[in-house]
Amino acid sequence: MVEVTVTPQSSLSDRPVQIRVRGLSPSQLVTLRAWLKDEHGERFQSRAFFHADGSGEVDPGNHAALGGSYSGVWPMGLFWFLQSDTLFRRLVKRDVAGSPFLVRLEVFNGIQLGTDPQEEPLASCEAERWYVGPGVQRVPIREGRVRGALFLPP
């Protein structure tokens, strides 16, 4: 049984997470895909192709991606290389304190190049990426022409 995990499942957006895929055949070629929808419903995604190691595992922090959105060893590459399905859109979080980005991670057999894979994933999981920690207070700033926000720790 194939399993993909993100540890920790809920974290701040600037904190590293560990992605692991287990239960693959040794040297199996797989596509690892990450995607999310922003607050406007725009989809952002990234993908990387891997060969499983001798024990049937993939760890982007130790195994080099063979291609896709990036190549080489990038532990956070699936998060860093998220791109919009629509040209010239940027990933921006407007409601930083109210909700996280929910990033869906999926594993597919072989190489999946399309924006919508034609087959069901072998495994999937979801990661929460928060922009503000628990207990942080957001204070809007409006003074003359200056606009901003002050974030106060708990």
Side-chain angles (χ1 to χ4, degrees), residues 29-33 45-50 67-69 106-122:
L29 180 62
V30 294
T31 299
L32 209 54
R33 179 174 85 137
Q45 62 180 323
S46 63
R47 72 187 75 245
F49 315 126
F50 294 92
S69 302
E106 300 171 327
V107 182
F108 295 92
N109 190 36
I111 293 179
Q112 293 287 329
L113 296 173
T115 55
D116 287 317
Q118 300 302 314
E119 62 184 66
E120 288 293 314
L122 300 173

Side-chain angles (χ1 to χ4, degrees), residues 38-40 44 89-96 101 131:
D38 69 4
E39 292 144 329
H40 298 291
F44 290 78
R89 298 280 177 130
R90 291 188 320 161
L91 183 59
V92 176
K93 182 72 171 140
R94 302 274 183 220
D95 179 18
V96 295
F101 271 141
Y131 280 76

Side-chain angles (χ1 to χ4, degrees), residues 6 8-17 36 39 76 79 82 91-103 126-136 138 151:
V6 178
Q9 185 269 333
S10 181
S11 63
L12 290 173
S13 64
D14 63 344
R15 299 286 190 242
V17 295
L36 63 85
E39 292 144 329
M76 295 294 295
F79 294 93
L82 287 166
L91 183 59
V92 176
K93 182 72 171 140
R94 302 274 183 220
D95 179 18
V96 295
S99 64
F101 271 141
L102 299 176
V103 182
E126 198 166 70
E128 292 180 353
R129 303 292 283 174
W130 290 89
Y131 280 76
V132 176
V136 172
R138 182 181 187 273
F151 293 89

